[in-house]
Amino acid sequence: MRRFDQINVIPFIDIMLVLLAIVLTTATFIAQGQIKVSLPEAKSAAPADGKPAIVITLNAAGDVFVDDQATTLEALNTRLDTLKKDQAIVFRVDKKTAFGQFVAVIDALKTRGLDQLTIRTTSASEATPPA
């Protein structure tokens, strides 16, 4: 009887390549930005740069999210206390959000000296036409 002292890894590699192909094709369908926000339109909207930033989102109901995690204004204030002054922040606000919520978040940022702020909007070419 012949003794096996090697393992044939070619079938294993074949299976891994098939799994890799499946992952790569399905990964492109994952939606970015899970919180539904209808951004306001601005003629001067510019594309965002690639710097890592904290994303603060206010939806139409006035709920606050930090990096897609629901939070409160008090918890947001606590989180902002831990940030450095040069931390980049992207602010996404639904166009139907109450102005008071917007002002509350901007005030929290300004009192802590966090002025590296980008307010996310859509350009006229990205905006959807009214129905």
Side-chain angles (χ1 to χ4, degrees):
M1 184 169 234
R2 191 169 154 221
R3 186 174 162 202
F4 291 104
D5 56 355
Q6 293 181 343
I7 297 174
N8 186 4
V9 294
I10 292 175
F12 177 71
I13 293 172
D14 291 341
I15 292 171
M16 293 307 291
L17 287 174
V18 168
L19 291 175
L20 179 64
I22 291 170
V23 168
L24 290 177
T25 56
T26 58
T28 59
F29 297 112
I30 297 174
Q32 297 295 322
Q34 300 297 321
I35 302 166
K36 180 76 172 147
V37 175
S38 177
L39 296 174
E41 182 181 334
K43 291 186 183 353
S44 64
D49 56 359
K51 294 191 302 188
I54 292 178
V55 179
I56 300 173
T57 306
L58 285 175
N59 65 9
D63 300 323
V64 180
F65 298 86
V66 176
D67 292 331
D68 294 336
Q69 300 293 320
T71 188
T72 62
L73 281 175
E74 294 79 22
L76 175 65
N77 287 327
T78 304
R79 172 91 187 265
L80 293 177
D81 287 334
T82 64
L83 299 179
K84 296 179 183 176
K85 301 289 184 207
D86 63 343
Q87 172 65 50
I89 298 171
V90 175
F91 194 24
R92 297 176 65 228
V93 184
D94 192 288
K95 59 185 172 185
K96 295 181 181 176
T97 301
F99 191 66
Q101 286 289 91
F102 174 82
V103 171
V105 174
I106 293 295
D107 185 50
L109 293 169
K110 289 293 184 181
T111 57
R112 289 163 180 81
L114 298 167
D115 57 0
Q116 298 295 320
L117 177 66
T118 301
I119 298 177
R120 181 78 169 102
T121 60
T122 58
S123 65
S125 62
E126 292 176 359
T128 57

